[in-house]
Amino acid sequence: MLLRPNEALSSEYLQRIVWNEDPPQTARATLQTYVLRLRRIFGKYGISDGAIKTVPGGYQLPVTEETLDLARFRALLRAADGARDPEAELRLIVAALGLWQGEPLSNIRSDVLHRDEVPVLREQWLRSVERRFDLELSLGRCRQTVAELSTTARAHPGHERFWEQLIEALYRSGRQSDALEAYRTVKRYVNDELGVDPRPSLQNLELAILRGEDLGPQDERPVRVQAVEPPIAQLPGGLPDFTGREEEAAELAARLTADRSGPAVAVISGPPGMGKTALAIQVAHLVSDRFPDGCAFVDLTEDGILAARARQAARFGVEDGRGRSLTVLDGVHDLAQILPFLPSGRGSAVLVTSRASMTGLVATRGASLHRLGTWEPARSATMLVSVIGAARADREPAAITELAELCGHLPFALRIAAIRLQLRPHQSVTSTAAWLRDDPMGRLAVPGDPAMSVSTLFEEFFARIGPRLTGAAQLLAERCEVRAPLKQCVDALGVPLGDAVALLDELIAVNVLEEDAPGVHRLSPLIRTFLRARPSGRDLRRNVA
């Protein structure tokens, strides 16, 4: 009834929703009992007994956009259609998309609903996201949109319009080679999975890029948010199926919005694949209404344009000591990168994500440090269920548990596994787990997309921390138990006690290693698997020494 607000729904239709296509003989009477119970529940919360109306042949649930998020979502989209300008339309669409949390009806068991209603909801979401990106590109915000477009296109590899928008954004940002590589990625996908060529508009876009045609201006303006009503948040949209970090999100939100004498600074730290960026974006959306002077997101993973982008995004916090703004600095490598760009205003806040612990920021700016580890098994299972749906997951609960363990409870790996299950809706979870079991590091990847690969992610991570720390981590992976006491770690490293302790501290600082308990160290399961699969070589201990 909530999916079809204000509609008169027949008793026969409601019976099919509850019991699929084979309702029992007592279905009509049982349905009446269910409605009676719902009315009593509504009554306990002060809602009129008439909340569910009896109409000829069935029932009706009257709602307004103030009482139902789906009605509010559709009302915002209608308002966007009649907006006076692109900025106003964009604000309304962003507000509508902000109401989405997770996969629709993921905890509801009804074949009829998942067959008839969920596809409609998904289509409305997809079209709204498409329109939002169209507006961003029309306003010249190509660079600001690339990161989120890339994530969205990879999450929906068969949705060619997202790839088309990503390719245009990359090209208009001066990244011609990346744009062509993105085209090759989607071309491989549609060829391999669907046996067809990319749609004509994509092919024409590739030709335009090869010819060097002008597809529109680049936006060189500062990434600044004007204080308007409502404030425009230059934030990527949150994941529609965000899950697993609710406690951390609430803690960070409280930290960023607490009363204080200076700016609030928080650091989300952890090894690659833990979902640091997704958590930061989620938190920024949760607290955005507390920062009326604006919110900005800056991707600092590209060193060549680091300073300009950081300065542009942070300038409204730096220049106005009284400003109430939030800046998300994503992918920070070290403190020196961002120290000149940290705001000083009392009401401002900065949220940093980094694979390093950023202890210098804690020491010099009083930042709070939030270290992310792998998920608990229950969280991993919840994430998989939120993506593939409860109906499919409930048929194979043991396989869901095994699949999560094979993914090492690493959020990035779990998302890749979930994408594979989405691409193959008729494949069982059991067969997917068996396939992954034979070669987890080689198979935790999305074909045709090098960035969506656990192995590639780890290779880049260990290349950055250098051969000395990589060699030390590899010795621990090869010669220690999963939870290794200090003496075992020292023996594995083959260096004096003082040097070994210093090495272990460095590995903890760069988030390769966790200290489960005093003197007990642990590598995350997938990092351990990755390191044990690498060639050992004879100079491993020499590199460490």
Side-chain angles (χ1 to χ4, degrees):
M1 286 188 280
L2 288 172
L3 287 173
R4 296 194 176 183
N6 303 312
E7 281 190 38
L9 302 177
S10 70
S11 296
E12 290 74 15
Y13 176 70
L14 295 174
Q15 290 170 36
R16 288 200 306 275
I17 288 174
V18 178
W19 292 284
N20 296 317
E21 302 298 342
D22 188 25
Q25 292 183 346
T26 58
R28 180 176 291 274
T30 305
L31 180 66
Q32 292 172 346
T33 302
Y34 288 166
V35 171
L36 178 62
R37 290 178 182 174
L38 283 172
R39 285 170 172 164
R40 288 174 177 170
I41 292 172
F42 286 151
K44 288 182 180 179
Y45 292 92
I47 301 173
S48 168
D49 288 344
I52 300 179
K53 295 183 177 180
T54 301
V55 297
Y59 300 95
Q60 180 187 44
L61 180 56
V63 302
T64 66
E65 62 182 82
E66 285 75 30
T67 58
L68 178 65
D69 54 3
L70 179 60
R72 175 67 176 160
F73 170 74
R74 290 168 175 165
L76 286 168
L77 292 185
R78 288 193 298 271
D81 288 340
R84 64 188 182 280
D85 58 61
E87 288 281 11
E89 183 179 358
L90 178 59
R91 287 198 297 272
L92 290 165
I93 291 177
V94 169
L97 292 171
L99 297 171
W100 281 74
Q101 297 290 331
E103 178 73 10
L105 308 186
S106 61
N107 60 339
I108 303 296
R109 301 180 186 180
S110 172
D111 292 344
V112 173
L113 287 181
H114 285 278
R115 182 194 67 204
D116 297 343
E117 303 293 341
V118 171
V120 175
L121 294 174
R122 284 202 191 105
E123 185 65 18
Q124 290 177 331
W125 180 84
L126 286 169
R127 296 306 172 200
S128 301
V129 175
E130 272 187 19
R131 182 57 184 155
R132 182 222 157 166
F133 286 138
D134 280 338
L135 288 165
E136 297 275 19
L137 294 179
S138 72
L139 293 167
R141 297 169 186 163
C142 301
R143 291 179 180 174
Q144 298 126 288
T145 310
V146 162
E148 190 181 356
L149 261 173
S150 180
T151 300
T152 305
R154 289 173 182 138
H156 302 84
H159 198 79
E160 293 178 73
R161 179 58 185 150
F162 289 149
W163 287 101
E164 194 173 337
Q165 292 168 319
L166 171 61
I167 292 165
E168 179 183 342
L170 286 167
Y171 179 65
R172 290 173 59 188
S173 299
R175 298 166 60 180
Q176 181 178 8
S177 61
D178 290 337
L180 292 172
E181 178 56 35
Y183 175 79
R184 288 190 288 269
T185 297
V186 65
K187 182 178 180 180
R188 282 193 296 267
Y189 176 82
V190 297
N191 282 341
D192 294 346
E193 297 293 330
L194 308 176
V196 298
D197 290 325
R199 65 187 196 175
S201 57
L202 263 171
Q203 296 181 48
N204 292 336
L205 182 58
E206 182 205 23
L207 289 174
I209 293 172
L210 292 171
R211 293 169 181 158
E213 296 179 6
D214 182 7
L215 298 181
Q218 297 182 24
D219 184 10
E220 301 297 340
R221 295 170 296 170
V223 186
R224 179 166 182 170
V225 182
Q226 301 296 324
V228 297
E229 262 318 311
I232 308 169
Q234 300 281 359
L235 296 171
L239 287 173
D241 53 2
F242 178 86
T243 187
R245 299 286 187 196
E246 290 82 4
E247 293 178 7
E248 292 92 336
E251 184 180 349
L252 280 159
R255 167 69 186 183
L256 294 173
T257 57
D259 291 335
R260 55 196 179 273
S261 58
V265 183
V267 178
I268 302 173
S269 173
M274 290 297 175
K276 298 181 291 295
T277 301
L279 174 60
I281 293 171
Q282 183 74 6
V283 171
H285 280 290
L286 287 175
V287 301
S288 60
D289 61 337
R290 300 288 296 275
F291 297 95
D293 292 326
C295 302
F297 177 91
V298 193
D299 178 5
L300 302 183
T301 56
E302 300 175 41
D303 294 333
I305 55 174
L306 167 94
R309 296 176 78 174
R311 189 184 301 276
Q312 288 171 355
R315 65 183 296 183
F316 55 80
V318 174
E319 293 174 353
D320 182 0
R322 297 168 297 175
R324 295 171 60 193
S325 59
L326 171 66
T327 306
V328 179
L329 301 176
D330 184 50
V332 175
H333 300 313
D334 56 60
L335 180 59
Q337 284 183 306
I338 62 170
L339 203 53
F341 310 111
L342 294 175
S344 58
R346 176 179 176 181
S348 59
V350 175
L351 183 56
V352 172
T353 75
S354 177
R355 292 175 181 175
S357 294
M358 301 297 291
T359 52
L361 198 56
V362 177
T364 61
R365 292 300 182 101
S368 61
L369 179 59
H370 305 260
R371 298 188 63 172
L372 301 187
T374 53
W375 279 340
E376 296 295 326
R379 285 187 173 188
S380 300
T382 299
M383 182 271 175
L384 289 171
V385 172
S386 72
V387 175
I388 69 173
R392 187 177 180 188
D394 286 350
R395 290 194 289 267
E396 304 173 272
I400 290 287
T401 300
E402 183 185 6
L403 186 60
E405 290 175 354
L406 289 167
C407 291
H409 302 290
L410 183 75
F412 182 70
L414 288 161
R415 184 158 294 279
I416 289 174
I419 288 173
R420 178 175 178 83
L421 288 169
Q422 283 183 304
L423 293 176
R424 296 164 175 82
H426 302 297
Q427 185 177 65
S428 69
V429 181
T430 301
S431 62
T432 299
W435 174 82
L436 186 60
R437 193 186 310 124
D438 292 338
D439 181 18
M441 293 312 304
R443 293 176 175 175
L444 278 171
V446 176
D449 189 349
M452 291 295 286
S453 163
V454 170
S455 181
T456 300
L457 188 73
F458 288 165
E459 285 286 1
E460 293 173 350
F461 174 57
F462 283 102
R464 178 170 288 277
I465 69 173
R468 177 171 163 270
L469 292 182
T470 299
Q474 193 166 353
L475 284 169
L476 296 175
E478 291 179 352
R479 305 182 182 191
C480 293
E481 298 172 1
V482 174
R483 298 180 75 254
L486 178 60
K487 184 181 185 306
Q488 192 177 93
C489 294
V490 174
D491 291 343
L493 293 172
V495 296
L497 175 61
D499 294 337
V501 170
L503 267 174
L504 294 172
D505 285 344
E506 286 185 70
L507 289 171
I508 291 172
V510 296
N511 285 303
V512 171
L513 203 61
E514 299 176 36
E515 191 172 26
D516 269 5
V520 179
H521 299 84
R522 175 181 177 271
L523 284 169
S524 73
L526 272 189
I527 287 181
R528 189 168 185 267
T529 300
F530 170 79
L531 291 170
R532 289 167 69 92
R534 287 168 61 95
S536 294
R538 292 179 297 175
D539 297 328
L540 210 53
R541 287 201 176 193
R542 186 182 305 170
N543 286 339
V544 171

